[in-house]
Amino acid sequence: MDEKEHSIRFINSSYDTLFRIPDGGTVEVQFPDRKFTARCKYLDDYHTVVGNSVFHICEFAEHLEAQNGSVRPEPEITAEQAAWQLGHREYLALQRTDSGFDYTIYSEGFELKDGGQLDAPELTMKQAREQILEMHGMIRRNRFEVSFVEVAEKAEAVQASVLKQLQDLKGSLTHESRQGKEKTHGGKETR
């Protein structure tokens, strides 16, 4: 079988097929207290990687059932902007533009780490997200959907705080510099 023909089968604990996704596709996993999406990789007909973990397909089904969880293919994202927490580390904010997508990657503390443009307007939001994650070596991280607006607001607050700190530092350095320029000539202080 050609590698491109591999699909990943998701089942219940009775081995009934629920659905299939292509190798490299994403699923949405939901538990009573959390929901995330994860990229999946085909290993063989009975084993798959979901996010960072390897599972036998029945083991994954039993894991979900034991925790009152469910799984389904990740639905397409129709919004013009979206954001995700990547594992428990960075954040990705993604926004559609006329020429493709603008993206920004923030640290856990909402500091700017990277960003850029993906000039591919033909891609879906999910495809663009996956391509960006692959480019940055983050493809195996679980994706927890978060509010785009909240991520942008937190990042703005961090940036404003950093700018204020820089202005305060500049002000104190300027003040120290002025004091250092005072000279004494013949017992008189001049400026």
Side-chain angles (χ1 to χ4, degrees):
M1 177 183 262
D2 185 12
E3 186 176 319
K4 292 182 180 180
E5 295 177 24
H6 292 311
S7 65
I8 302 165
R9 181 168 63 130
F10 286 83
I11 63 172
N12 61 23
S13 60
S14 300
Y15 270 86
D16 299 320
T17 299
L18 302 174
F19 62 89
R20 289 180 174 270
I21 63 168
D23 185 17
T26 54
V27 291
E28 181 180 270
V29 180
Q30 184 160 359
F31 293 104
D33 61 340
R34 68 192 183 285
K35 176 173 80 170
F36 62 92
T37 58
R39 185 168 185 179
C40 301
K41 181 169 177 37
Y42 177 91
L43 296 177
D44 61 36
D45 288 344
Y46 295 98
H47 297 89
T48 186
V49 176
V50 179
N52 282 324
S53 302
V54 175
F55 290 98
H56 184 280
I57 59 175
C58 191
E59 174 192 15
F60 186 70
E62 290 168 349
H63 175 72
L64 287 175
E65 290 173 12
Q67 296 186 29
N68 294 320
S70 63
V71 64
R72 68 180 183 151
E74 181 186 16
E76 192 50 64
I77 301 161
T78 57
E80 295 295 306
Q81 53 191 23
W84 300 268
Q85 183 176 9
L86 306 172
H88 297 288
R89 299 180 198 143
E90 291 86 6
Y91 290 85
L92 170 64
L94 183 59
Q95 187 168 13
R96 186 177 286 283
T97 65
D98 291 338
S99 62
F101 297 88
D102 283 341
Y103 71 92
T104 309
I105 299 172
Y106 298 103
S107 71
E108 183 179 3
F110 297 97
E111 295 155 338
L112 178 65
K113 286 189 77 173
D114 203 348
Q117 294 180 306
L118 182 60
D119 295 328
E122 71 281 0
L123 296 180
T124 66
M125 183 74 77
K126 277 182 10 182
Q127 290 170 330
R129 177 195 66 200
E130 295 305 302
Q131 191 169 336
I132 291 163
L133 293 177
E134 185 137 358
M135 287 185 323
H136 290 277
M138 300 175 171
I139 199 69
R140 293 184 60 179
R141 295 200 188 150
N142 290 339
R143 301 130 178 86
F144 298 88
E145 189 174 354
V146 294
S147 165
F148 180 91
V149 171
E150 285 181 27
V151 168
E153 287 173 352
K154 289 178 180 178
E156 271 184 46
V158 167
Q159 184 178 13
S161 173
V162 168
L163 287 174
K164 181 171 179 349
Q165 289 174 7
L166 288 173
Q167 288 171 344
D168 291 349
L169 180 61
K170 181 180 175 186
S172 73
L173 290 175
T174 302
H175 180 70
E176 289 174 16
S177 175
R178 281 189 206 137
Q179 287 180 338
K181 289 183 180 178
E182 295 176 352
K183 296 180 182 176
T184 306
H185 294 291
K188 294 185 182 177
E189 197 173 279
T190 60
R191 288 183 195 233

